[in-house]
Amino acid sequence: MGFYDYEAEDVRGNMRSMCEYEGKVVLVVNTATKCGFTPQYDELQSIYEQYGPQGFEILDFPCDQFEHQAPGTNEEIVAFCDANFGITFTHYGKIDVNGEHALPLYQYLKSQKGFAGFDEEHPLATIVESMLERTHPDYKETPDIKWNFTKFLIDRDGNVVERFEPTADMDVVREKIENYL
């Protein structure tokens, strides 16, 4: 199976196939509204506005698995994103990205690109690493999603070509997107 074979429920409860995005460059992101990385929504929206017309999509998957930083219903999350960041890219319903209830799409994404390591230059890197070392000492050896705002880049052919941890420099993310457009 490949990226286009999966589906997910959007915020309105409709099942949507990833084949809708065939021929586009796609960034899949697990998000949270109460996280130190939440300001990345601004940068994501800017990237979407710049590259959307060129066949680029962002798929937002809220996830409450990391310190309950995505509280609220799907509607509350969308309202927060609209009010605070003016998000216009696609919101999907809240999901699990790890564990037995992980969305199959995320199981697939993790199987294609494992943990890429944190950008040590990011001010939150040592905080996230410290928390993970206490709760999951083997976190570096697993492909699991480590925190909110992990991103997967899918090329126009449906291949998972990059994984960016939440500490990745957003200029690097932007550059990689440009390369695949």
Side-chain angles (χ1 to χ4, degrees), residues 63-81:
C63 176
D64 197 32
Q65 287 189 289
F66 305 101
E67 300 293 321
H68 305 294
Q69 294 182 344
T73 64
N74 289 334
E75 295 77 17
E76 290 167 336
I77 291 169
V78 169
F80 172 88
C81 290

Side-chain angles (χ1 to χ4, degrees), residues 10-27:
D10 70 16
V11 291
R12 293 180 182 85
N14 301 313
M15 290 307 290
R16 295 181 57 182
S17 172
M18 295 302 110
C19 69
E20 284 180 42
Y21 306 106
E22 225 170 312
K24 296 187 176 200
V25 174
V26 179
L27 191 69

Side-chain angles (χ1 to χ4, degrees), residues 84-145:
N84 293 285
F85 301 102
I87 299 302
T88 57
F89 48 81
T90 305
H91 295 284
Y92 279 83
K94 193 186 294 189
I95 62 161
D96 282 356
V97 295
N98 293 327
E100 66 179 278
H101 300 294
L103 184 71
L105 171 62
Y106 262 84
Q107 293 172 350
Y108 168 74
L109 294 170
K110 294 183 300 185
S111 77
Q112 299 302 296
K113 290 287 177 189
F115 178 57
F118 293 116
D119 177 351
E120 297 300 323
E121 300 296 315
H122 194 285
L124 296 177
T126 55
I127 295 168
V128 174
E129 286 177 331
S130 175
M131 288 175 23
L132 288 169
E133 286 169 356
R134 283 194 308 273
T135 57
H136 304 289
D138 65 340
Y139 77 91
K140 292 179 183 176
E141 281 79 49
T142 71
D144 284 351
I145 304 299

Side-chain angles (χ1 to χ4, degrees), residues 24-86:
K24 296 187 176 200
V25 174
V26 179
L27 191 69
V28 179
V29 187
N30 66 294
T31 61
T33 55
K34 307 285 186 201
C35 176
F37 294 104
T38 301
Q40 285 187 13
Y41 267 128
D42 265 338
E43 293 171 279
L44 291 168
Q45 180 61 30
S46 173
I47 291 169
Y48 181 65
E49 288 171 5
Q50 182 175 0
Y51 298 115
Q54 297 175 43
F56 173 65
E57 295 288 340
I58 296 177
L59 311 184
D60 176 5
F61 286 90
C63 176
D64 197 32
Q65 287 189 289
F66 305 101
E67 300 293 321
H68 305 294
Q69 294 182 344
T73 64
N74 289 334
E75 295 77 17
E76 290 167 336
I77 291 169
V78 169
F80 172 88
C81 290
D82 291 347
N84 293 285
F85 301 102

